């Protein structure tokens, strides 16, 4: 039956008004075109390197380019906001990190909600820190350090990478759980802080293991405990802080997220392929070199980690009255 011209125009207008269906819903294989992975950091950092490793593996296995796009600035909020508002079709993904969990409280006026607007795709890595002191500090264990700090309240300078940075957050959690009082000294990144710790201008720091392991092995810094719940491969003889401070755990995770309402079929496909890449010995070795051991989990488990950390670090931010710069 032929449509009259007026009926056809009306039908065409109605069809054009319908929302575009994701490619997978139209019967097209995902991905059918290039996929962007938005990274909220400048190129060459550990997070960027890992994102590019995974992007290359996804490109090889899925037959379409997975392109890393760096959108640094505003402590990842620019990148996160971009993906939160992107179509939920699987073609714009986000490199998610622990910073996203911190930002939920550090930045109360964001125009997106990380938990609501970004859905977990796959976890990839988890890295830890180390409580380290200048050799002049008369403490050889975490328990001795707590006793020394309580005997000298407000006299121990703690280096950080800036307000709300990992070393600041890890130290604030330690203060909250032990009752010690440390004096945060903020730097623009941990790079300038480490030399001041080595020189003795600072007394303590909660630094990434990879940044300090060389100085520790050279005897320039004394490690007291790692921030992870279990021993850390790079420092096998250093006990977890949790052995002394029950329940203490501070680590940085990294993974992939997608806009909310992305089809489960797409999420499952990406999750399966990323986990396959994380099982590759080459990837495992490279992540170990970066100080970020593989952290593979189900999507549900990763979601629980994100929610738990968002709640946990909100308490730390409020306790220490941390304000983002």
């Amino acid at each position: 039956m032929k449509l009259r011209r007026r009926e056809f125009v009306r039908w065409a207008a109605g069809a054009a008004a319908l929302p575009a269906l994701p490619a997978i819903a139209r019967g097209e294989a995902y991905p059918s075109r290039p996929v962007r992975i938005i990274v909220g950091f400048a190129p060459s950092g550990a997070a960027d390197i890992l994102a590019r490793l995974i992007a290359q593996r996804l490109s090889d296995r899925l037959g379409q380019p997975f392109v890393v796009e760096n959108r640094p600035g505003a402590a990842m909020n620019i990148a996160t906001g971009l993906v939160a508002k992107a179509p939920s079709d699987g073609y714009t993904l986000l490199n998610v990190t622990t910073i996203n969990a911190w930002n939920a409280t550090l930045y109360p006026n964001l125009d997106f909600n990380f938990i609501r607007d970004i859905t977990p795709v796959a976890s990839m890595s988890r890295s830890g820190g180390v409580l380290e002191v200048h050799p002049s500090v008369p403490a050889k264990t975490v328990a001795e350090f707590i006793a020394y700090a309580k005997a000298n309240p407000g006299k121990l300078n703690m280096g950080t990478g800036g307000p709300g940075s990992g070393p600041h957050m890890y130290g604030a959690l330690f203060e909250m759980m032990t009752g010690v009082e440390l004096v945060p000294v903020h730097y623009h990144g941990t790079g300038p802080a480490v030399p001041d710790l080595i020189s003795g201008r600072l007394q303590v720091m909660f630094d990434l293991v990879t940044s300090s392991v060389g100085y520790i092995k050279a005897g320039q810094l004394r490690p007291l405990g790692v921030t992870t719940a279990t021993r850390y491969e790079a420092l096998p003889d250093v006990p977890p802080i949790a052995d002394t401070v029950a329940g203490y755990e501070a680590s940085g995770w990294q993974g992939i997220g997608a806009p909310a309402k992305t089809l489960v079929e797409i999420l499952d496909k990406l999750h399966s392929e990323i986990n396959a890449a994380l099982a590759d010995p080459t990837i495992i070795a490279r992540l170990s070199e970066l100080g970020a051991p593989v952290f593979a989990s189900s999507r549900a488990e990763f979601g629980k980690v994100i929610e738990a950390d968002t709640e946990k670090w909100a308490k730390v931010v409020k306790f220490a009255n941390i304000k983002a710069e």
Side-chain angles (χ1 to χ4, degrees):
M1 182 178 69
K2 295 183 178 179
L3 290 173
R4 295 176 181 174
R5 184 177 184 281
R6 184 175 299 174
E7 292 173 338
F8 176 80
V9 170
R10 189 183 304 121
W11 172 84
L18 292 173
L21 293 173
I24 199 167
R26 298 197 302 268
E28 299 177 17
Y30 171 85
S32 59
R33 52 188 170 86
V35 178
R36 296 188 300 164
I37 299 178
I38 308 299
V39 175
F41 305 97
S44 300
D48 176 72
I49 291 171
L50 175 51
R52 290 178 187 277
L53 286 171
I54 295 300
Q56 184 58 57
R57 291 307 177 99
L58 291 174
S59 299
D60 294 341
R61 292 178 65 90
L62 295 178
Q64 288 289 341
F66 279 71
V67 182
V68 169
E69 184 176 313
N70 298 92
R71 291 294 185 95
M76 283 194 69
N77 289 324
I78 293 174
T80 306
L82 188 157
V83 178
K85 299 175 182 65
S88 53
D89 56 10
Y91 288 95
T92 304
L93 306 175
L94 177 67
N95 177 72
V96 296
T97 78
T98 313
I99 293 173
N100 291 115
W102 300 344
N103 286 352
T105 307
L106 283 171
Y107 296 87
N109 299 315
L110 296 172
D111 62 353
F112 61 85
N113 181 297
F114 178 64
I115 298 290
R116 181 194 65 208
D117 297 332
I118 300 293
T119 189
V121 174
S123 57
M124 299 190 300
S125 71
R126 200 162 200 168
S127 59
V130 55
L131 164 56
E132 58 196 11
V133 296
H134 184 267
S136 65
V137 175
K140 301 291 178 63
T141 67
V142 173
E144 289 177 1
F145 178 76
I146 292 172
Y148 180 71
K150 286 185 175 181
N152 296 275
K155 295 181 181 180
L156 298 180
N157 293 326
M158 176 182 70
T160 85
S165 64
H168 190 197
M169 299 289 273
Y170 294 3
L173 176 64
F174 186 82
E175 290 180 286
M176 186 175 78
M177 295 183 71
T178 62
V180 304
E181 182 184 341
L182 307 174
V183 180
V185 180
H186 300 305
Y187 294 76
H188 291 291
T190 57
V194 173
D196 278 359
L197 180 62
I198 292 172
S199 72
R201 293 182 64 185
L202 301 173
Q203 286 74 52
V204 60
M205 191 168 174
F206 290 76
D207 195 20
L208 291 176
V209 172
T210 46
S211 301
S212 292
V213 67
Y215 303 112
I216 289 171
K217 291 183 176 180
Q220 294 174 286
L221 297 174
R222 181 187 303 134
L224 302 183
V226 292
T227 65
T228 45
T230 58
R231 289 182 184 255
Y232 206 72
E233 182 180 351
L235 293 171
D237 298 327
V238 181
I241 293 172
D243 284 2
T244 303
V245 184
Y248 182 93
E249 190 277 334
S251 58
W253 41 258
Q254 183 174 345
I256 296 294
K261 299 181 181 179
T262 299
L263 289 178
V264 172
E265 293 87 347
I266 293 176
L267 299 175
D268 286 345
K269 188 170 191 176
L270 289 169
H271 177 267
S272 176
E273 294 295 346
I274 290 171
N275 272 13
L278 294 175
D280 186 311
T282 303
I283 295 289
I284 293 172
R286 186 70 178 104
L287 294 191
S288 180
E289 290 174 7
L290 292 171
V294 166
F295 167 40
S297 67
S298 69
R299 289 198 296 110
E301 289 169 339
F302 189 30
K304 289 178 181 178
V305 168
I306 292 172
E307 290 181 9
D309 265 12
T310 301
E311 181 179 348
K312 166 184 171 177
W313 292 111
K315 295 176 183 177
V316 176
V317 170
K318 292 172 183 176
F319 163 81
N321 194 28
I322 300 173
K323 305 293 185 182
E325 288 187 337

